[in-house]
Amino acid sequence: MNFSSDNVTGAHPAIVAALAEAAAAGAMPAYGADPITESLNARFAEIFEHEVAVFPVATGTGANALALSALTPPWGGILAGQDAHVEVDECGAVEALSGARLMTVATPDGKVTVEALAARIAPIRKGDQHQVQPAALSITQATECGTVYSPAEVAALGAFARAEGLRLHMDGARFANALVGLGCTPAAITWQAGVDALSFGATKNGALAAEAVVFFDKALAENFLFRRKRAGHLVSKMRFLSAQLAAYLDQDLWLKNAAHANQAAADLALGLIDLPGVDLDYPVDANEIFIRLPLGIADALFRAGFHFYPWGAPPADPATEPGLYRLVTAFDTAPAAVTAFIATARKAAEEIA
Amino acid sequence: MNFSSDNVTGAHPAIVAALAEAAAAGAMPAYGADPITESLNARFAEIFEHEVAVFPVATGTGANALALSALTPPWGGILAGQDAHVEVDECGAVEALSGARLMTVATPDGKVTVEALAARIAPIRKGDQHQVQPAALSITQATECGTVYSPAEVAALGAFARAEGLRLHMDGARFANALVGLGCTPAAITWQAGVDALSFGATKNGALAAEAVVFFDKALAENFLFRRKRAGHLVSKMRFLSAQLAAYLDQDLWLKNAAHANQAAADLALGLIDLPGVDLDYPVDANEIFIRLPLGIADALFRAGFHFYPWGAPPADPATEPGLYRLVTAFDTAPAAVTAFIATARKAAEEIA
Amino acid sequence: MNFSSDNVTGAHPAIVAALAEAAAAGAMPAYGADPITESLNARFAEIFEHEVAVFPVATGTGANALALSALTPPWGGILAGQDAHVEVDECGAVEALSGARLMTVATPDGKVTVEALAARIAPIRKGDQHQVQPAALSITQATECGTVYSPAEVAALGAFARAEGLRLHMDGARFANALVGLGCTPAAITWQAGVDALSFGATKNGALAAEAVVFFDKALAENFLFRRKRAGHLVSKMRFLSAQLAAYLDQDLWLKNAAHANQAAADLALGLIDLPGVDLDYPVDANEIFIRLPLGIADALFRAGFHFYPWGAPPADPATEPGLYRLVTAFDTAPAAVTAFIATARKAAEEIA
Amino acid sequence: MNFSSDNVTGAHPAIVAALAEAAAAGAMPAYGADPITESLNARFAEIFEHEVAVFPVATGTGANALALSALTPPWGGILAGQDAHVEVDECGAVEALSGARLMTVATPDGKVTVEALAARIAPIRKGDQHQVQPAALSITQATECGTVYSPAEVAALGAFARAEGLRLHMDGARFANALVGLGCTPAAITWQAGVDALSFGATKNGALAAEAVVFFDKALAENFLFRRKRAGHLVSKMRFLSAQLAAYLDQDLWLKNAAHANQAAADLALGLIDLPGVDLDYPVDANEIFIRLPLGIADALFRAGFHFYPWGAPPADPATEPGLYRLVTAFDTAPAAVTAFIATARKAAEEIA
């Protein structure tokens, strides 16, 4: 009954089983020379229909900061949404590991647009030694608003990036959820749309702690081993990151997990949306819901033991104005929890009326 | 039959079981607010008989670099052995995350001495704006030579550090092996001897990927949350690091694992030492052996499928001069492997003779 | 006839004479131990009516970045105006030397306001390890719009800073111009209003290359010698920076120079403001004018050999809509140049009419 | 009568005159777009008989740290002598601005040798992600011992560097003194011998504060404008750095100044060397003398008002064992001061005998 985040979850049994198997497998070379890690490049290449260079790391912040450090010189700028995780929730890790500056634009629905980016960089004098020069663009898929960029939207950003000499990074902490929401191929939403590097997340969607930096342009990965180690992000028994990733991809577990989470989110939204005073701030494209709830409904849910966060600034008059809340579903969200959440909300709505 | 390192091992079943249990335990707060993580401070305090501030991270390099960053300003110097892991095997991570410079001294047996340190800093003008000012001392326990500092040796370094205004860090990647080798309390070899911060390793001794930065002076930990996050080292589902550490400490697993590894090393050394041309470069205080082997013996072992590394510069004439090799035992070293290794070596020695 | 910036100027003869004298004075200790440098603390203390720690450097960017590095930890945030020099024109130097992130607010007239700052930091969760924590506020005096903060305005920002636990930095690249514009004491606009550190500029107002970082709280200066040297900003023959600063302050040269420049700006504005289509974007509080000029007038001025910059985004229809231009006067602006500029503009205006 | 360093000197009148002229020359573009700065590339190209990219900065530490930052990635290592200025006297500036690690070798006479370098890097595993990878070599010309590398010696180092994939940097704080000592062309001792970048010093040899980073491979300079600005080292009124450099090169002033200083050093050494107990530690190749003086002679000189530094560790028994002292001559060393120094020493020697 916890809808506060997808990182409050445990891990999927199949991934745990893969870890247990790897743990019992006896000696393997450390630092990524083990067969599980060595199989990842081919596996990711198959999934993305493109040659890739894959680097497992233990955290999403590490993945983002290291990936971006490979896409910009220290005097570069990284364009991103004002609400992007790299800006809001990583304590300056991107700047610390890359040296670069984040340059943000407003994202009314979590998505950066070519128009906003163009306006943001218009005043910057190209090549002027006084000014931080935009070098990369980082977008989040699914976004921080639970919306999802379409392939066409990413392609437009990719074209803009190429035209402006920027590299394109995708923060895919919820990449599987986005992909399932879109129903397209991994290729269509990444390199075919101009993405140079992807932070491929598994942790939120069933792994314990496993992310991967995926480069579609292998030249960008040339020095990545040094970047990763120098930041302390080279895990010695790499098999344990890689086993998580391998199991995550095996038999479409990643897509099944994401489909489960997305369905739970859709069910939840559908079950709530017709209640009086309830409204969605954004379309529910993946596994996050941003919903307005009257105080009486929210309070009834909290009293019933549901966990979820109020979001953003509180309403001016909470008594009369519905507040914004975030609900996040996950690979392990129980259908019964969804049903119970809806039932509790509906009952509270009736009592209010 | 792999003696190349203790990080080629899998993981101990009890630790895997703890992970599986944590994975199935349902929702828990992320980022360290879970009950498993919250129990660690008390557990470590009990073991070390001292108030501590404990911060789990996934890598030893991360632990060292972050711990040291809290002990020195960016313009400081960190004294360490010439063969220390922070100098030789971390690709500059300590410098990258702390800003400080490593200042090394020769360590004939892996141990830094007060004399060597005093000589190293003697020419540095205190307070002179032109010179990097020594701020911390980092020692490795057990050392890179498989030797172990006694409490008296650490205390002498601790006294030197205090007198010179230096903070004292212990890289305890093999802390349990050292402790078992010494037979002293954890307190005696750390804070009672002047250690301010410890990189407490579990990975090499049975965990999958889990280390902890332990501060004995909590004031030093004041901003550590920010340091850890800003370097991308905050694991979101922290329970999975903490569960490893908790299981590692539970029922003395860490000490039992280390005792097993150390015994295997002792057995190995004892079984080899009387062979002609075989010699130890250093005492075997923990789970690492640095041994001279005639070429015929080494070749026979390699042919028999044993894995281990030649170490240091090769001998001038390998045909007549025994080469140096490193053997590392671990929590899961099979007694049969030790027996087989010795038998193979003895047989080769006989054939040579 | 160059109104493009105050750093296109040469240097004041009195300052050059002081340099020549210092050059001929024979041997003096290097690195700031010379008597000229040693006299600066007392001289600045007298001028600011407060104990200070003064550190000469050769560039304004160096002064800003080093001063701010002493006011924030690497994981801190520095609040500043969106158009501040540290944000727009220093190529990320503040971030590079401090590690911190710039957090900007809109400044309609070049001035940051308590309201804008409060709104900027409201969403930041205090003490949350995920978020860059605001640590300092940097304001520019005179501002990038040629306006000047009053003592009351700075005091309001100082009170806000104290209440929020922020240190207050003033970028005084044009400090003398601001001071003369205000007619208040140096104390009133700095430490009495809550300023902790000042980048005291001399270069734009008659020096060759000389700025000073002035700390009003000497505790903040504790490690500044190391910060300055480690960034390569310790000038060996420091006497030559200090002699510039001493001459600059001697016999009120700094105030006279600023008064001259401000008067030229006021004369220029007064002479232009009644022309048709001409308008000021901001009050002329110091030595910068931001003025709307019809295309015909601007072109006539350029053709007559005057140098000055168009500013900001060009108008949608330059033919009918006056464009924005920046005019900067300086210590050496010839009254005849002002007169000629006005005359040329008036003649052009008549021809257009 | 000050022989403590060449940076205790004032400045040469011709350079001061050039500054005065530049100061009175009216408006010039800032930030290096002025004609004086723009003339430097051609002037240096002529002197070095090679295309160059020249960047003036105000400090030698800035020149070294910025030049080296262009020759190594942040995970690289910079080989240098144990007594190099970058190691001993720049407070970690090279590491701070480049991210790289200094890797030092012993230099018995101030010169790094191919043998010492080869031994230093032999244990480093090429391309291994765990180890800082040597990327550059920095040598000092003239050395910290007052000796000078011959073109053949530099060429040997250049060949070694090329073979090992290292870039070669020369710290030329006393480049003119070395050049005059050698009597060769600037080309012979730099790019013809494999030097990629030179820190060209003028400050110690007659300028007020002016150094230049000179790249012989212009590709290395590609982003140097950003590196310089981002470290706060872009001087706004660049004409004042450039005017110093131009005057320094004009009419061979730099060579005449160095010849004067070198001659004074030679005279001093010659006048002292036959005194009992007096000995030179190194040949006097340029303008620095490292000399053993009996205590009685040294004391007599100090009492007579001569300034110079004892050097290195004091002798075990200063009463009987001559101590080491450093004497530095400069462009403005008065012949009378040399004569007086020698006379005072000889008189003291006689009194002792």
Side-chain angles (χ1 to χ4, degrees), chain B:
Chain B
M1 309 228 296
N2 191 315
F3 294 93
S4 60
S5 179
D6 33 11
N7 60 28
V8 303
T9 58
H12 192 278
I15 294 176
V16 175
L19 271 190
E21 189 183 341
M28 284 186 194
Y31 302 117
D34 65 276
I36 307 177
T37 304
E38 291 191 332
S39 73
L40 288 180
N41 275 342
R43 188 73 186 96
F44 274 85
E46 188 184 359
I47 285 170
F48 282 94
E49 306 172 59
H50 198 278
E51 264 205 305
V52 293
V54 177
F55 300 88
V57 293
T59 71
T61 297
N64 284 337
L66 290 170
L68 283 164
S69 78
L71 305 188
T72 172
W75 52 85
I78 299 168
L79 292 159
Q82 209 165 41
D83 56 358
H85 204 261
V86 292
E87 167 74 10
V88 174
D89 277 309
E90 302 191 351
C91 195
V94 168
E95 293 99 319
L97 298 194
S98 74
R101 173 190 286 182
L102 291 180
M103 298 175 157
T104 58
V105 296
T107 57
D109 59 352
K111 299 183 195 175
V112 301
T113 61
V114 167
E115 291 66 34
L117 294 169
R120 177 68 178 81
I121 67 173
I124 300 172
R125 302 180 296 270
K126 279 211 182 161
D128 184 324
Q129 63 183 330
H130 293 84
Q131 300 203 300
V132 175
Q133 300 289 309
L137 164 62
S138 179
I139 60 175
T140 309
Q141 177 78 313
T143 75
E144 304 294 334
C145 295
T147 52
V148 167
Y149 290 95
S150 70
E153 287 171 328
V154 177
L157 294 167
F160 172 81
R162 257 191 318 284
E164 295 292 340
L166 311 173
R167 291 295 190 168
L168 181 54
H169 167 254
M170 180 176 277
D171 175 355
R174 295 186 179 97
F175 183 73
N177 301 97
L179 199 64
V180 164
L182 288 166
C184 69
T185 65
I189 199 66
T190 56
W191 63 271
Q192 288 179 351
V195 173
D196 294 301
L198 169 69
S199 298
F200 179 89
T203 308
K204 289 180 197 289
N205 192 32
L208 298 83
E211 313 277 314
V213 177
V214 181
F215 289 101
F216 299 104
D217 176 350
K218 291 173 78 169
L220 292 169
E222 195 191 344
N223 293 303
F224 197 80
L225 290 177
F226 294 108
R227 293 186 187 278
R228 181 174 61 178
K229 178 63 185 176
R230 187 170 177 263
H233 281 284
L234 175 65
V235 167
S236 63
K237 295 179 175 178
M238 183 80 80
R239 67 167 101 173
F240 292 119
L241 291 188
S242 303
Q244 293 181 64
L245 292 167
Y248 181 66
L249 297 176
D250 199 28
Q251 300 188 339
D252 290 341
L253 179 63
W254 64 309
L255 301 177
K256 290 173 190 162
N257 280 359
H260 178 94
N262 286 12
Q263 188 60 53
D267 292 346
L268 207 45
L270 191 67
L272 299 170
I273 191 63
D274 63 338
L275 294 180
V278 170
D279 207 2
L280 293 172
D281 269 30
Y282 314 109
V284 178
D285 290 346
N287 66 321
E288 291 192 285
I289 301 173
F290 292 84
I291 195 163
R292 302 276 161 182
L293 297 177
L295 191 59
I297 295 182
D299 278 355
L301 287 161
F302 288 137
R303 277 196 310 271
F306 291 99
H307 290 81
F308 56 101
Y309 285 119
W311 210 250
D317 179 2
T320 62
E321 200 181 338
L324 180 61
Y325 298 89
R326 186 184 76 159
L327 306 174
V328 190
T329 57
F331 70 96
D332 67 349
T333 299
V338 172
T339 308
F341 192 100
I342 295 169
T344 305
R346 301 195 80 90
K347 181 142 171 275
E350 283 161 23
E351 283 167 8
I352 295 167

Side-chain angles (χ1 to χ4, degrees), chain A residues 113-160:
Chain A
T113 62
V114 167
E115 291 67 32
L117 294 169
R120 177 67 179 81
I121 67 173
I124 300 172
R125 302 179 296 269
K126 279 211 181 161
D128 184 325
Q129 62 184 331
H130 294 84
Q131 300 203 299
V132 175
Q133 299 290 309
L137 165 61
S138 179
I139 60 175
T140 309
Q141 176 78 313
T143 75
E144 304 294 334
C145 295
T147 53
V148 168
Y149 290 95
S150 71
E153 286 170 328
V154 177
L157 294 167
F160 172 81

Side-chain angles (χ1 to χ4, degrees), chain A residues 66-240:
Chain A
L66 290 169
L68 283 163
S69 78
L71 304 187
T72 171
W75 52 84
I78 300 168
L79 291 158
Q82 209 165 42
D83 56 358
H85 204 262
V86 292
E87 166 74 10
V88 174
D89 278 309
E90 302 190 352
C91 196
V94 169
E95 293 99 319
L97 297 193
S98 73
R101 173 190 286 181
L102 292 180
M103 299 175 156
T104 59
V105 297
T107 57
D109 60 351
K111 300 183 195 175
V112 302
T113 62
V114 167
E115 291 67 32
L117 294 169
R120 177 67 179 81
I121 67 173
I124 300 172
R125 302 179 296 269
K126 279 211 181 161
D128 184 325
Q129 62 184 331
H130 294 84
Q131 300 203 299
V132 175
Q133 299 290 309
L137 165 61
S138 179
I139 60 175
T140 309
Q141 176 78 313
T143 75
E144 304 294 334
C145 295
T147 53
V148 168
Y149 290 95
S150 71
E153 286 170 328
V154 177
L157 294 167
F160 172 81
R162 259 191 317 283
E164 295 292 338
L166 310 174
R167 291 294 190 167
L168 181 53
H169 167 254
M170 180 176 279
D171 175 356
R174 295 187 178 96
F175 183 72
N177 301 96
L179 198 64
V180 165
L182 288 166
C184 70
T185 64
I189 199 68
T190 55
W191 63 271
Q192 288 178 352
V195 173
D196 294 300
L198 169 68
S199 298
F200 179 87
T203 308
K204 290 180 196 288
N205 191 34
L208 297 84
E211 313 277 313
V213 176
V214 181
F215 289 101
F216 299 105
D217 176 350
K218 290 173 79 169
L220 293 169
E222 194 191 347
N223 293 302
F224 197 80
L225 290 177
F226 295 107
R227 293 186 186 279
R228 182 174 59 178
K229 178 65 185 173
R230 188 171 177 263
H233 281 284
L234 175 64
V235 168
S236 62
K237 296 179 175 177
M238 184 78 82
R239 69 168 98 173
F240 292 120

